[in-house]
Amino acid sequence: MTEDQELRREAERRADAKLGFRAHLMAYAVVNGGLVLINLVTSPGYFWAIWPMFGWGLGVVAHGIGVYHYIGGLRERAIETEIQRLRARL
């Protein structure tokens, strides 16, 4: 595989991860917006919609961190470390 092919493959992987996160965030907003409306209509005295928003929100935050910040770098460093270890054995 050439360097250009490897770069394209990595770029595609990253773009897919970002698009997946955006789809997750959009689903979160739409579904939880609907839950808030249902909550306000059926039981305005108690805001129960906060619980699914909170739980799912933790997942969205973790997904976003994984895509845009920490986990990708950790994975790449771990792969590079393993490659170096394997090369040292040869």
Side-chain angles (χ1 to χ4, degrees), residues 49-62:
I50 192 68
W51 301 114
M53 290 171 65
F54 177 74
W56 191 356
L58 290 175
V60 170
V61 168

Side-chain angles (χ1 to χ4, degrees), residues 31-71:
V31 170
N32 284 297
L35 288 176
V36 168
L37 288 174
I38 292 168
N39 185 166
L40 293 175
V41 169
T42 61
S43 54
Y46 175 65
F47 189 61
W48 54 261
I50 192 68
W51 301 114
M53 290 171 65
F54 177 74
W56 191 356
L58 290 175
V60 170
V61 168
H63 191 175
I65 289 171
V67 169
Y68 287 102
H69 195 54
Y70 297 111
I71 295 174

